[in-house]
Amino acid sequence: MKKYKIKGLPTQQNATLKNRIVKTRGRAKWVGVVYLAASFLLLIAACFPMMKSDYVKVGLPAVWREFTLSSFKSMSTAVNIIPFLLALLYIAMLILLFVMFCRAVWGIGGLFKRKANKKYGFNLNVNAMQGMGKVFSDMFAIVLSVYFVIFVLSGSGKPNVLFYVTVELGLAVHFTCGLRGGKASYFDVDENGKMVERRRLVGRIAPFCRNLVQLVGVFVMAYLFLRTSRIHECIEAMLKKDVWVNHFLKNVVSFASLLLQFVTGISLLVLLKHATGTAEFDMEGTQASGMKNYRVFAFFIFLASGATFAYRFLFGEVALRYLELEERTVITISRWTDQISLILAGLGLAMFVFEVIMRNYPRERVAMNAKTAGGEGTVTDDGNVVQQAIEIPTTDDLPTDDVSVFSETQ
């Protein structure tokens, strides 16, 4: 690798290049700092209970009560096993959030780097910003997913004020930083030694609208699923000694609706992960990784929820009731018209159709020999803006954000 220095560059185009690089770095720093601060606040908020429940202990001050000696002695009953497992899930969530926040802190050096990197060139700041964005999105999705699982498996509890505040602030950061950070440019050096700026060629309005609909859709579907799910009742009963051997293994078909509900719940978690992620605001637009996830799993929800409705209406669903005095489980099969599952299936189908319609948006804007922001240049078919008169800028020609580009020679 050899370091080149250019002298006597044309003033106007050199200034244009410097301004573009400095502006991109400033954008990356601002977005990265907001992501980092939001990740820290999310970690702190997760340490406090975000739900009201007498059945499950969450929040650092209360979760340790599930790990007392008396709790372990009463672990033989299913009523105590589920809260204990959910407490373990909550503790695992906090540990994972802490590790992920440490990863975000580790990226501060790259975010504020003032010199070009041999591996990433001018893009080290943007890469650090995107890394922090992914960490925040993953943390946000983990918190929402864990509480969703707790609500499903406990069958009780209601979100408190802290939960709603966390969701609102998390979504505000998600949209603000996604829109602003999604416009950051990439700078590369082509085989001719010319500086290439790869700018965003797709709009941000369509991704914003699609992502907003995705979030509203997944929140509504999660609410409906919590109302119609009977997973907690079945799991609690299946933990009894006689149910697994005498009933479940001999009548697996009778528990089909339970398995369908599991498919619906897992699909909702995937939709939640995608909707709170950064893929929708990626500069690659419709070609970004993971853009098909939402439509695929929305279709799974349509199939699973529709099958749940049909199964409950035609064959009925198994209901388990444990008689403590007789120490045995009574199984009954009840049939009913589950309108909520039908609505959930219809909403899943609607989201699938919406995703199919929006699959080609936003469209790319391709222009040849376009005038670039602040100067002249050529926009190629792949979206690269080539500054014709500038070959390889270096430390001597750039402002205090002093950088160098390394070019490989034969």
Side-chain angles (χ1 to χ4, degrees):
M1 304 295 287
K2 184 176 179 180
K3 183 176 178 182
Y4 290 89
K5 292 186 178 182
I6 303 297
K7 297 182 180 180
L9 294 176
T11 305
Q12 182 179 356
Q13 294 188 5
N14 192 30
T16 299
L17 179 66
K18 290 189 288 187
N19 291 336
R20 293 297 301 169
I21 294 175
V22 171
K23 184 177 180 179
T24 299
R25 282 181 167 175
R27 182 188 299 270
K29 291 176 183 178
W30 186 90
V31 174
V33 168
V34 173
Y35 273 138
L36 183 64
S39 300
F40 175 73
L41 294 177
L42 187 61
L43 175 61
I44 298 300
C47 296
F48 296 92
M50 295 187 186
M51 62 178 291
K52 300 176 182 178
S53 175
D54 296 329
Y55 182 69
V56 181
K57 300 293 188 299
V58 293
L60 279 180
V63 72
W64 302 110
R65 299 174 188 173
E66 293 294 337
F67 300 94
T68 60
L69 183 60
S70 58
S71 298
F72 286 110
K73 290 181 179 179
S74 60
M75 202 60 64
S76 58
T77 62
V79 177
N80 293 320
I81 291 178
I82 294 179
F84 176 76
L85 294 177
L86 293 179
L88 283 179
L89 177 64
Y90 177 80
I91 293 296
M93 177 193 74
L94 292 183
I95 295 175
L96 184 58
L97 291 179
F98 178 76
V99 172
M100 296 179 70
F101 176 71
C102 291
R103 285 179 52 197
V105 173
W106 185 260
I108 292 179
L111 185 67
F112 290 95
K113 195 75 172 179
R114 301 181 64 182
K115 293 184 178 181
N117 183 276
K118 289 185 178 181
K119 182 177 180 181
Y120 299 107
F122 291 99
N123 305 316
L124 185 60
N125 311 83
V126 175
N127 288 337
M129 174 201 71
Q130 292 178 339
M132 291 181 175
K134 188 176 186 308
V135 168
F136 168 77
S137 298
D138 290 344
M139 291 177 65
F140 190 36
I142 287 173
V143 172
L144 296 180
S145 299
V146 167
Y147 271 96
F148 174 74
V149 172
I150 291 176
F151 287 137
V152 170
L153 296 184
S154 65
S156 63
K158 296 181 178 180
N160 58 17
V161 176
L162 180 60
F163 179 84
Y164 292 114
V165 171
T166 301
V167 171
E168 291 173 1
L169 293 180
L171 292 179
V173 173
H174 168 73
F175 282 118
T176 302
C177 294
L179 289 170
R180 185 172 176 82
K183 196 164 183 193
S185 298
Y186 277 86
F187 297 90
D188 299 304
V189 178
D190 64 11
E191 62 277 5
N192 298 320
K194 296 178 181 179
M195 177 58 59
V196 175
E197 179 188 7
R198 188 157 63 94
R199 302 175 64 183
R200 183 185 182 95
L201 287 181
V202 294
R204 292 175 291 171
I205 301 300
F208 170 80
C209 295
R210 180 172 54 220
N211 191 224
L212 181 61
V213 174
Q214 289 175 349
L215 285 165
V216 173
V218 71
F219 285 150
V220 173
M221 287 189 288
Y223 171 74
L224 293 175
F225 180 73
L226 290 174
R227 288 190 57 188
T228 190
S229 172
R230 299 177 65 181
I231 292 179
H232 62 284
E233 299 176 6
C234 293
I235 289 182
E236 185 173 317
M238 287 173 60
L239 290 175
K240 309 296 183 182
K241 295 180 180 179
D242 59 330
V243 173
W244 184 261
V245 176
N246 299 331
H247 301 291
F248 182 77
L249 295 180
K250 296 180 180 179
N251 303 282
V252 177
V253 178
S254 301
F255 292 86
S257 61
L258 175 63
L259 300 178
L260 291 171
Q261 290 175 67
F262 269 110
V263 173
T264 304
I266 294 173
S267 298
L268 282 171
L269 292 178
V270 177
L271 296 189
L272 184 62
K273 173 66 172 64
H274 177 85
T276 56
T278 58
E280 289 292 335
F281 299 102
D282 194 286
M283 69 182 301
E284 299 295 335
T286 58
Q287 303 303 317
S289 176
M291 290 297 289
K292 296 181 180 179
N293 288 346
Y294 200 97
R295 78 186 72 151
V296 171
F297 285 91
F299 190 72
F300 285 168
I301 290 177
F302 161 66
L303 294 178
S305 297
T308 301
F309 163 78
Y311 197 92
R312 286 173 171 175
F313 179 76
L314 297 175
F315 307 104
E317 186 176 72
V318 173
L320 304 172
R321 186 164 58 92
Y322 184 71
L323 302 178
E324 296 184 1
L325 296 179
E326 302 178 15
E327 295 185 352
R328 66 187 182 91
T329 301
V330 176
I331 292 184
T332 59
I333 298 179
S334 56
R335 294 193 304 170
W336 77 96
T337 302
D338 183 12
Q339 296 181 351
I340 298 180
S341 290
L342 184 61
I343 296 174
L344 180 56
L347 187 55
L349 178 61
M351 293 305 302
F352 170 75
V353 173
F354 173 79
E355 285 291 308
V356 171
I357 294 174
M358 294 289 292
R359 70 185 185 279
N360 294 325
Y361 292 92
R363 298 184 184 277
E364 292 187 1
R365 301 187 300 269
V366 180
M368 300 300 295
N369 297 323
K371 185 174 182 179
T372 63
E376 298 290 341
T378 300
V379 182
T380 62
D381 290 335
D382 58 357
N384 293 333
V385 180
V386 182
Q387 302 291 342
Q388 300 288 2
I390 298 177
E391 305 230 339
I392 303 178
T394 60
T395 307
D396 298 338
D397 300 310
L398 292 175
T400 56
D401 283 7
D402 200 21
V403 291
S404 300
V405 171
F406 293 82
S407 178
E408 192 172 2
T409 59
Q410 300 296 331

